[in-house]
């Protein structure tokens, strides 16, 4: 069998089910250790390589091709390819190249037996991701994409009509809910306040910037600068819509209310980051946390004419910190920051869920994307145009903005409210 990777060996008489396969598929750490060319070794050996292309060079080419997609997408492809290989191993079918009916059978079995963690059938967008992974591995191995087969395309169309057709989206965290959420965060006691100050900055900056959680997690201290009129300038070095890392800048304005001002949240976190980098971090952090309040601005808005901001050095603590240090870093339960480690996108998700629960919100459905969705939906509720929203969200088409309008604000700009029922 030319599968390239065997995720597990089934026992005699075993029957494949999605639940069994999920337990046997690659763990993320294991998948990261398997280079792309290893899983394609069988195809490479069988292929007749052109002059000048050795097996070693082919491996390097494969690694370059892997860089064409983001790390998150690459991990997803590894994970979902492992799931498909497990199915093929179980049923005794080839996975590379896979017969179109094998791919169709894989999705039929998943639709019949599969459930996500919430116990609901897989949605069509989940299946689309699985198929994209299978397509990518075939493409890199020089085979036709299974999705181009009529057998696969028709099966997928049938699944969209009969099983998991609804496109499930992360609920938006609206402005009113955001205010309630940050209002419950402890930013004054040690060590909980260390988590609280960081999470407040994550949440408010994430909402104001309509950031993806991966963009927040990747920020360095030097990527964020204070601006006299704009508030914050945030340099996003790479994003989903900027895979070539040309970089773009977002502005996060001063907030009218200190409690939800992203510039204040950033300022508090920088001050606390410096305190935790001092010779006596615990004592310095405790003293600083005791001074924090959300009743007054700590950004430039809180300065008076008698105490103006020196815009040649607006935040000395920022100047003294290493600019390549990750802005948001993991924190231990004892309040210790891990100096050189950035957070993952999962930390953003966990922070939102944790504080939503504390605020009495339905935390089960919130996640990292709720900040971005909340910005877009709140802007639509204010009557802002898709073009205005896209200036901040960096969506590439108005069609995506309209999706939020249909799902979260169905009555806004809707004729049914004007016909006089």
């Amino acid at each position: 069998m030319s599968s390239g990777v065997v995720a597990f060996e089934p026992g005699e008489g075993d029957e494949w089910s999605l639940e069994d396969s999920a337990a046997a598929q690659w763990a993320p750490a294991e998948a990261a250790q398997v280079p792309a060319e290893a899983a394609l070794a069988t195809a490479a050996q069988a292929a007749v390589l052109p002059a000048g292309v050795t097996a070693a060079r082919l491996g390097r080419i494969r690694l370059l091709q892997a860089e064409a997609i983001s790390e998150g997408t690459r991990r997803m492809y590894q994970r979902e390819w492992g799931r498909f290989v497990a199915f093929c191993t179980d049923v005794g079918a080839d996975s590379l190249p896979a017969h179109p009916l094998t791919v169709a059978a894989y999705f039929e079995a998943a639709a019949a037996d599969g459930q996500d963690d919430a116990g609901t059938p897989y949605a069509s967008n989940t299946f689309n991701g699985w198929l994209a992974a299978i397509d990518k591995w075939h493409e890199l191995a020089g085979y036709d994409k299974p999705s181009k087969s009529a057998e696969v395309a028709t099966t997928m169309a049938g699944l969209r009509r009969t099983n998991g057709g609804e496109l499930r989206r992360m609920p938006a965290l609206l402005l009113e809910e955001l205010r309630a959420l940050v209002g419950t965060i402890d930013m004054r006691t040690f060590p909980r306040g260390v988590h609280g100050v960081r999470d407040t900055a994550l949440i408010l900056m994430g909402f104001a910037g309509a950031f993806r959680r991966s963009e927040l997690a990747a920020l360095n201290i030097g990527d964020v600068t204070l601006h006299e009129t704009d508030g914050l300038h945030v340099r996003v070095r790479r994003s989903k819509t900027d895979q070539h890392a040309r970089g773009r800048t977002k502005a996060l304005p001063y907030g009218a209310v200190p409690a939800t001002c992203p510039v204040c949240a950033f300022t508090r976190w920088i001050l606390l980051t410096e305190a935790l980098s001092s010779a006596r971090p615990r004592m310095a952090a405790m003293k600083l946390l005791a001074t924090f309040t959300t009743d007054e601005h700590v950004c430039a808005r809180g300065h008076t004419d008698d105490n103006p901001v020196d815009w040649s050095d607006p935040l000395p603590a920022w100047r003294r910190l290493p600019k390549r240090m990750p802005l948001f870093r993991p924190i231990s339960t004892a309040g210790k920051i891990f100096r050189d480690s950035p957070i993952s996108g999962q930390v953003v998700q966990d922070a939102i869920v944790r504080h939503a629960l504390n605020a009495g919100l339905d935390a089960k459905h919130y996640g990292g994307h709720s900040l971005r969705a909340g910005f877009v939906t709140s802007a639509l509720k204010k009557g802002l145009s898709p073009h205005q929203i896209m200036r901040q969200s960096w969506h590439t088409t108005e069609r995506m903005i309209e999706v939020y309008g249909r799902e979260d604000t169905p009555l806004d700009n809707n004729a049914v409210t004007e016909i006089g029922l």
Side-chain angles (χ1 to χ4, degrees):
M1 189 176 79
S2 58
S3 62
V5 176
V6 177
F8 70 103
E9 292 293 340
E12 185 177 355
D14 284 352
E15 293 185 359
W16 186 88
S17 72
L18 194 66
E19 182 178 358
D20 293 335
S21 176
Q25 65 183 309
W26 288 334
E30 294 172 320
Q33 294 170 6
V34 181
E37 68 273 17
L40 300 174
T42 303
Q45 292 168 3
V48 178
L49 298 178
V53 179
T54 64
R57 176 166 289 176
L58 178 63
R60 294 193 295 271
I61 291 172
R62 294 290 182 240
L63 290 175
L64 280 175
Q65 291 170 342
E67 291 301 320
I69 57 178
S70 70
E71 178 63 29
T73 301
R74 190 157 55 246
R75 287 196 301 268
M76 186 274 285
Y77 284 169
Q78 288 268 20
R79 183 181 66 247
E80 301 311 336
W81 176 250
R83 186 196 299 266
F84 178 64
V85 168
F87 168 79
C88 292
T89 302
D90 245 3
V91 300
D94 289 346
S95 60
L96 193 68
H99 192 284
L101 281 175
T102 300
V103 178
Y106 171 62
F107 285 104
E108 185 280 329
D113 301 334
Q115 295 179 342
D116 62 16
D117 293 339
T120 54
Y122 287 108
S124 61
N125 53 321
T126 301
F127 287 149
N128 290 340
W130 294 7
L131 183 57
I134 297 170
D135 276 349
K136 176 57 68 174
W137 287 90
H138 279 72
E139 180 184 39
L140 289 177
Y143 298 116
D144 290 338
K145 295 179 179 180
S147 63
K148 292 184 177 180
S149 162
E151 295 279 10
V152 175
T154 306
T155 300
M156 298 301 290
L159 285 175
R160 283 190 288 271
R161 288 177 58 87
T162 60
N163 186 89
E166 180 183 0
L167 184 62
R168 297 194 294 272
R169 294 189 177 275
M170 193 71 68
L173 184 69
L174 300 179
L175 183 58
E176 299 78 10
E177 298 162 336
L178 177 78
R179 289 172 176 154
L181 187 150
V182 298
T184 63
I185 297 178
D186 180 1
M187 291 192 291
R188 293 180 58 86
T189 63
F190 187 90
R192 290 182 63 188
V194 179
H195 291 266
V197 173
R198 183 204 62 184
D199 292 351
T200 300
L202 269 175
I203 291 167
L204 292 179
M205 291 176 66
F207 183 93
F211 285 113
R212 298 177 177 88
R213 59 182 183 176
S214 60
E215 295 168 349
L216 283 172
L219 290 175
N220 289 336
I221 287 176
D223 294 330
V224 187
T225 54
L226 289 167
H227 191 276
E228 183 173 0
T229 56
D230 293 350
L232 294 176
H233 281 185
V234 182
R235 185 69 174 172
V236 180
R237 287 170 282 114
R238 183 192 292 270
S239 69
K240 183 178 179 180
T241 55
D242 180 23
Q243 291 296 317
H244 297 294
R246 294 185 177 93
R248 300 173 67 182
T249 299
K250 288 188 179 186
L252 310 188
Y254 298 102
V257 179
T260 53
C261 174
V263 189
C264 287
F266 169 77
T267 301
R268 282 191 293 264
W269 176 236
I270 288 296
L271 293 172
L272 184 57
T273 297
E274 185 185 43
L276 288 165
S277 302
S278 65
R280 302 183 66 187
R282 179 184 176 91
M283 185 60 66
M286 291 177 68
K287 288 182 178 180
L288 184 62
L289 288 170
T291 68
F292 284 161
T293 176
T294 56
D295 296 330
E296 299 177 350
H297 282 283
V298 296
C299 65
R301 288 289 176 89
H303 287 252
T304 63
D305 293 339
D306 297 331
N307 181 31
V309 176
D310 177 7
W311 284 104
S312 66
D313 189 16
L315 187 57
W318 178 89
R319 170 174 50 80
R320 291 188 288 261
L321 289 169
K323 301 305 178 288
R324 293 188 177 182
M325 178 187 291
L327 176 60
F328 298 114
R329 290 168 290 161
I331 303 171
S332 71
T333 55
K336 178 183 177 182
I337 295 180
F338 296 93
R339 181 175 178 83
D340 297 322
S341 301
I343 62 170
S344 66
Q346 187 62 42
V347 172
V348 181
Q349 166 121 349
D350 292 344
I352 295 169
V353 171
R354 181 170 62 253
H355 295 300
L357 184 63
N358 291 340
L361 303 175
D362 185 4
K364 177 181 178 181
H365 300 296
Y366 288 114
H369 191 71
S370 295
L371 299 176
R372 182 170 168 84
F375 171 86
V376 174
T377 305
S378 296
L380 287 171
K381 283 181 171 291
K382 290 286 187 180
L384 300 179
S385 69
H387 174 72
Q388 290 173 297
I389 296 169
M390 290 165 65
R391 286 285 305 276
Q392 189 73 334
S393 69
W394 294 348
H395 282 98
T396 55
T397 65
E398 292 189 8
R399 181 179 61 83
M400 294 306 301
I401 303 298
E402 292 299 325
V403 169
Y404 291 101
R406 291 194 300 269
E407 295 291 330
D408 299 319
T409 58
L411 286 180
D412 286 2
N413 297 312
N414 190 325
V416 73
T417 63
E418 303 294 334
I419 61 177
L421 288 177

